[in-house]
Amino acid sequence: MMTRRQFLARSALLGGAAWLAAASPGRLLAAAAGKPLGIQLYMVLKAYQDDPNGTLRTLKSIGYSEIEAIITSTAKTLRDQLNEAGLACPSMHFDSLGVDAGLEAAHTLGTSYFVSSMLPAYMAKLKGDKSEPGYTRDDAKRTAEFANQIGEKAKKAGLQYAYHNHHHEFTEVGNGQTFYDVLLSETDANLVKLELDCGWVHAGGKNPVDYFKAYPGRIPLMHAKDFLASPAPNQFPGAELGRGTVDYRPIMAAADASGLKHCFVEQEGPFSRVSQLEAARIDYAYLRPLR
């Protein structure tokens, strides 16, 4: 399976458990009555591409009620598939389409949140720069300026823009600040909300709880992600929730207190221990009681 970075790069170039079987009906009804729990479509990308409708039905049967979209065919196709499966789509990542086409796709899907997956990398591609993006203080300010522009455009289109992070955003840029700190201080809080990827925050050496506490109301979205212990610098093998290095009990408590609206499970590969859909089952079983 290609990495998320490879998938987004290719798309940009082309287009500018056992737990479920044991669960009683009462437990399933209780879960359905709780706060919504979603999944990023990228996590089950191979399964979805092999069997779109079957995969979405399986996610619904596990207990997920929401999908965070990436577009691999057309927005209308995905919308029809989600409607058939009975899944909501409150958020989408637009990098593979670009801003303008992404806004159109968001309206087709009926989403509320318009999210950049890797904004510095997206900016580099717009300039034709094939090198890795920088994460200096000046880079943070340029990224913030562009994020504000996207946020303004999204607002005019009736959507809310949100910035999704990776671990690079927690690079130190001097004066006791990180790239992410500068980005937050330089963006308009009304135009630029956050999708806090808690696994990548942890991989960047920071605690997601601190951000939820420091920015109440600004983080309506989050990704629940876990990693195994890193075997080498800049290697982050994905893990099922509860089987890696991140404890989500304090994170979910802080997120709810901060005003979180939507939580999406997203696991990085490789899926060598279990399949993508089995990982989705394990992740749901771990996170549902905390949500």
Side-chain angles (χ1 to χ4, degrees), residues 166-168 170 197-206 227 236 245-246:
H166 283 70
H167 65 293
H168 295 295
F170 303 97
D197 190 307
C198 298
W200 283 125
V201 174
H202 179 79
K206 303 298 181 180
F227 292 106
F236 305 100
T245 56
V246 186

Side-chain angles (χ1 to χ4, degrees), residues 44-281:
V44 293
L45 181 59
K46 184 179 185 304
Y48 171 77
Q49 290 176 328
D50 290 344
D51 181 8
N53 291 321
T55 295
L56 295 176
R57 287 195 298 269
T58 298
L59 294 174
K60 177 71 172 180
S61 73
I62 290 171
Y64 293 103
S65 59
E66 299 179 338
I67 295 292
E68 184 173 51
I70 54 173
I71 306 299
T72 61
S73 54
T74 69
K76 182 182 183 303
T77 297
L78 179 57
R79 180 196 66 193
D80 293 345
Q81 293 167 345
L82 292 172
N83 287 342
E84 182 178 339
L87 290 163
C89 185
S91 176
M92 69 163 282
H93 283 205
F94 67 79
D95 302 59
S96 63
L97 297 175
V99 174
D100 291 335
L103 290 171
E104 184 177 347
H107 283 138
T108 299
L109 285 169
T111 68
S112 300
Y113 292 96
F114 189 66
V115 186
S116 58
S117 301
M118 296 186 294
L119 192 59
Y122 177 75
M123 292 169 62
K125 287 184 176 61
L126 289 179
K127 296 187 296 183
D129 187 352
K130 297 181 180 179
S131 62
E132 287 293 314
Y135 287 88
T136 67
R137 178 177 293 273
D138 286 343
D139 291 324
K141 290 184 176 182
R142 284 190 290 269
T143 303
E145 181 180 5
F146 190 48
N148 282 328
Q149 293 171 6
I150 297 173
E152 182 65 40
K153 201 163 193 176
K155 182 179 179 180
K156 290 179 179 177
L159 301 170
Q160 175 64 64
Y161 167 64
Y163 183 102
H164 170 270
N165 63 276
H166 283 70
H167 65 293
H168 295 295
E169 280 87 348
F170 303 97
T171 301
E172 299 289 337
V173 296
N175 297 328
Q177 290 184 305
T178 66
F179 178 102
Y180 202 58
D181 295 331
V182 176
L183 177 78
L184 292 179
S185 66
E186 296 279 335
T187 47
D188 185 325
N190 293 314
L191 298 178
V192 180
K193 300 297 185 184
L194 307 174
E195 179 171 63
L196 198 69
D197 190 307
C198 298
W200 283 125
V201 174
H202 179 79
K206 303 298 181 180
N207 188 342
V209 170
D210 294 337
Y211 288 95
F212 282 117
K213 289 183 175 179
Y215 297 96
R218 197 170 180 188
I219 311 176
L221 312 173
M222 69 168 274
H223 278 185
K225 178 180 294 173
D226 208 345
F227 292 106
L228 299 174
S230 180
N234 293 316
Q235 291 186 18
F236 305 100
E240 296 76 49
L241 295 178
R243 298 183 176 183
T245 56
V246 186
D247 181 359
Y248 273 90
R249 288 170 295 184
I251 293 173
M252 293 310 304
D256 286 337
S258 179
L260 183 73
K261 302 299 184 185
H262 302 279
C263 176
F264 302 106
V265 168
E266 186 194 30
Q267 185 172 328
E268 300 289 338
F271 291 91
S272 56
R273 296 175 300 280
V274 297
S275 70
Q276 292 178 344
L277 288 175
E278 182 61 22
R281 294 181 192 274

